[in-house]
Amino acid sequence: AEKVLGYDLLSLCLEGPRAELDRTQHCQPAVFVASLAAVEKLNHQRPKQVVESCVAAAGYSVGEFAALVFAGALSFAEALYAVKVRAEAMQKASEAVPSGMLSVIGRREANYKFACLEARKHCESLGIEKPVCEVSNYLFPDSRVIAGHLQALEFLQANARKYYFIRTKMLPVSGAFHTKLMESAVEPLAEVLKSIEIQKPLVCVYSNVDGKKYMHSKHIQKLLVKQVVSPVLWEQTMHSVYERKQGTEFPYTYEVGPGNQLGAVLKKCNLKAWRQYNHVDALEDEETANT
């Protein structure tokens, strides 16, 4: 990773500084590498039960690159280079406009599209041209991330009760990822992906863009680019992955890499599938993992 990136990623992950690690341009490669390190650990622990009998993979946002490397569609070094370019381009795009992401838990009657429309109108009244405010992540029933101009997100927080939002929280990110505000990051990523050899995945990998399986290499190339400016359909992906006939057992699920937020989301989307869930962190030692 250090050779591809040109800096010592391991010491940045282990020693910080935290503010540098949190920057988009460093955070994305770190998540990608730490996820694949956790896959390696899992492979050493239970090669037969897990990696060799895996039926499907999916990754959240930048995690999709890790899922595709795991599935044999991309090589590690080439995928990491693409992630580097993607992260730097997204960092640049987020510095161009004051924007961000707002995590929202809503009541059943919450109308996210209407709330975003009103937030955009509010921005127009402030003189902002072509304001952006849209759902950028579908997490689980009644939970969304809304991204766009900061003024739009502040408006939604101030009017949360009107839109039936129970809880709103600004995320510690510098930009409106997975929205039109990332448009300038599309071209650099598209160029890199054209120069990379992409194979058909050996196991099913589900796309963030439509929640469906990738079919072939051109499909992967196209959707990885589209993903930068499209909402992450994670809730829909969970339904696709875990769709089963009544009475069929659910597979074991492993979340590999930093944090166990995807496990928390799975629990809300599908409690039965979550009962077979495990989290694998590259750093955790065996004892703590098993307690």
Side-chain angles (χ1 to χ4, degrees), residues 38-220:
V39 169
E40 283 304 313
K41 179 175 172 178
L42 191 56
N43 199 12
H44 283 292
Q45 286 174 349
R46 324 172 180 171
K48 286 273 186 288
Q49 304 100 301
V50 181
V51 182
E52 289 172 27
S53 55
C54 180
V55 289
Y60 186 92
S61 192
V62 73
E64 198 160 286
F65 285 83
L68 287 161
V69 170
F70 166 75
L74 301 170
S75 78
F76 171 76
E78 287 188 324
L80 178 58
Y81 183 67
V83 166
K84 175 184 189 283
V85 169
R86 177 188 189 266
E88 286 168 359
M90 286 171 79
Q91 174 88 40
K92 205 171 163 188
S94 48
E95 284 164 4
V97 178
S99 56
M101 302 180 84
L102 183 72
S103 170
V104 176
I105 306 265
R107 293 188 196 282
R108 283 285 151 89
E109 55 269 49
N111 184 334
Y112 301 94
K113 277 192 173 156
F114 176 66
C116 289
L117 174 67
E118 294 218 320
R120 289 196 298 273
K121 281 183 179 165
H122 166 72
C123 285
E124 281 167 359
S125 76
L126 299 175
I128 296 170
E129 283 180 32
K130 294 185 184 164
V132 171
C133 182
E134 54 200 58
V135 174
S136 64
N137 306 75
Y138 292 81
L139 296 177
F140 54 86
D142 308 321
S143 175
R144 308 274 186 277
V145 175
I146 294 174
H149 281 83
L150 270 187
Q151 296 90 332
L153 304 181
E154 285 160 2
F155 172 82
L156 291 177
Q157 279 193 298
N159 294 279
R161 285 182 69 178
K162 178 185 174 184
Y163 301 117
Y164 302 103
F165 296 165
I166 301 166
R167 207 177 82 222
T168 61
K169 184 179 172 231
M170 286 298 289
L171 297 179
V173 294
S174 55
F177 304 141
H178 304 290
T179 71
K180 294 183 200 74
L181 288 175
M182 289 292 120
E183 201 69 64
S184 64
V186 164
E187 199 49 45
L189 180 60
E191 281 306 306
V192 174
L193 289 173
K194 274 182 203 159
S195 66
I196 286 176
E197 199 180 335
I198 303 174
Q199 311 285 346
K200 190 172 190 257
L202 301 171
V203 297
C204 295
V205 179
Y206 288 78
S207 163
N208 287 182
V209 173
D210 58 10
K212 294 176 182 162
K213 293 173 194 171
Y214 277 118
M215 302 313 288
H216 48 77
S217 55
K218 275 272 175 277
H219 193 209
I220 293 170

Side-chain angles (χ1 to χ4, degrees), residues 165-289:
F165 296 165
I166 301 166
R167 207 177 82 222
T168 61
K169 184 179 172 231
M170 286 298 289
L171 297 179
V173 294
S174 55
F177 304 141
H178 304 290
T179 71
K180 294 183 200 74
L181 288 175
M182 289 292 120
E183 201 69 64
S184 64
V186 164
E187 199 49 45
L189 180 60
E191 281 306 306
V192 174
L193 289 173
K194 274 182 203 159
S195 66
I196 286 176
E197 199 180 335
I198 303 174
Q199 311 285 346
K200 190 172 190 257
L202 301 171
V203 297
C204 295
V205 179
Y206 288 78
S207 163
N208 287 182
V209 173
D210 58 10
K212 294 176 182 162
K213 293 173 194 171
Y214 277 118
M215 302 313 288
H216 48 77
S217 55
K218 275 272 175 277
H219 193 209
I220 293 170
Q221 186 185 336
K222 186 179 155 194
L223 291 191
L224 280 179
V225 174
K226 201 174 172 189
Q227 192 227 54
V228 173
V229 287
S230 305
V232 173
L233 304 186
W234 193 255
E235 183 186 337
Q236 295 84 332
T237 301
M238 292 297 91
H239 293 314
S240 300
V241 171
Y242 294 103
E243 205 172 2
R244 293 279 179 286
K245 283 200 179 84
Q246 199 72 34
T248 313
E249 274 193 31
F250 284 99
Y252 282 95
T253 298
Y254 294 88
E255 178 175 4
V256 284
N260 53 5
Q261 295 92 329
L262 297 180
V265 170
L266 177 60
K267 190 178 184 180
K268 302 269 194 200
C269 285
N270 190 324
L271 188 60
K272 283 183 180 167
W274 174 79
R275 291 199 177 113
Q276 309 270 46
Y277 161 90
N278 285 283
H279 174 238
V280 181
D281 189 303
L283 278 182
E284 242 173 35
D285 55 39
E286 305 289 300
E287 283 69 38
T288 41

